[in-house]
Structures are given as C-alpha cells and as structure tokens.
Amino acid sequence: MEKIESILDSVSHRQYPLPERPWKQYQEWHGNIFMHWKSDAASLASLLPEGMELDLIHGEAWISIVAFSVKKLHPRFLPPFLFFQIFMKST
C-alpha cells in the first residue's frame, strides 16, 4: 500500500484538492484505450432526445470510447472479492 500512498501525494497536476474524507474503494485499471473521433455536430444532435444538448469542445463534437478492465476491486479494509476477480477475468 505504500506505493499507493506515494501516488496520492503527487497533486501538482490536479485542478482540485484531494477530498478530505478517506477513500472508500480500491480498483486498478488495466489495458486502457481512449479512442476519439471528431463528428458532425448537427448529425449527432439529431440523434439526441428532445431537450438534450451536445457537450461541445471548442465548438466541435466528438464521439469517444474508453475501454479498460478493472482488477483488485474492493471496499476499503477488505481484500478483493473472489467473485469480482472471476468476473473481471471472464470479460
């Protein structure tokens, strides 16, 4: 756990301070991939339900997919659950 604590000490890149309350769960993300495609805003807007607006970035619309696997998921003070470990391995 010492390595985790040292990671949390690095806060210079954060826009906001760390929460004052202790953490409630632990998880590790593995095999992360972030894919983004610039898309036509009008075409995407026509697919949205009435009353919903696109969240544009500098006036541009994007479609994003983020894929990853989660390992060692567990609440604080408890070891990883065997069920979750088996579930994560099967995906």
Side-chain angles (χ1 to χ4, degrees):
M1 226 28 147
E2 185 175 318
K3 182 178 180 183
I4 299 302
E5 298 301 327
S6 66
I7 290 171
L8 295 177
D9 287 339
S10 175
V11 294
S12 61
H13 65 286
R14 296 178 58 96
Q15 293 178 320
Y16 306 100
L18 286 172
E20 293 181 16
R21 296 181 291 174
W23 58 277
K24 294 181 181 177
Q25 76 167 15
Y26 178 85
Q27 61 181 299
E28 294 179 5
W29 290 13
H30 294 265
N32 305 359
I33 184 166
F34 298 85
M35 299 176 287
H36 311 284
W37 295 271
K38 193 184 302 187
S39 303
D40 179 62
S43 296
L44 289 177
S46 70
L47 301 171
L48 296 177
E50 187 176 327
M52 186 175 272
E53 296 180 18
L54 283 177
D55 185 12
L56 302 176
I57 300 174
H58 304 293
E60 298 177 332
W62 292 79
I63 294 175
S64 299
I65 296 175
V66 179
F68 57 92
S69 64
V70 177
K71 297 181 181 178
K72 298 184 182 178
L73 174 64
H74 62 91
R76 189 174 187 174
F77 303 119
L78 293 175
F81 296 127
L82 180 59
F83 168 78
F84 286 120
Q85 299 308 307
I86 294 169
F87 171 75
M88 297 303 170
K89 288 179 184 175
S90 67
T91 57

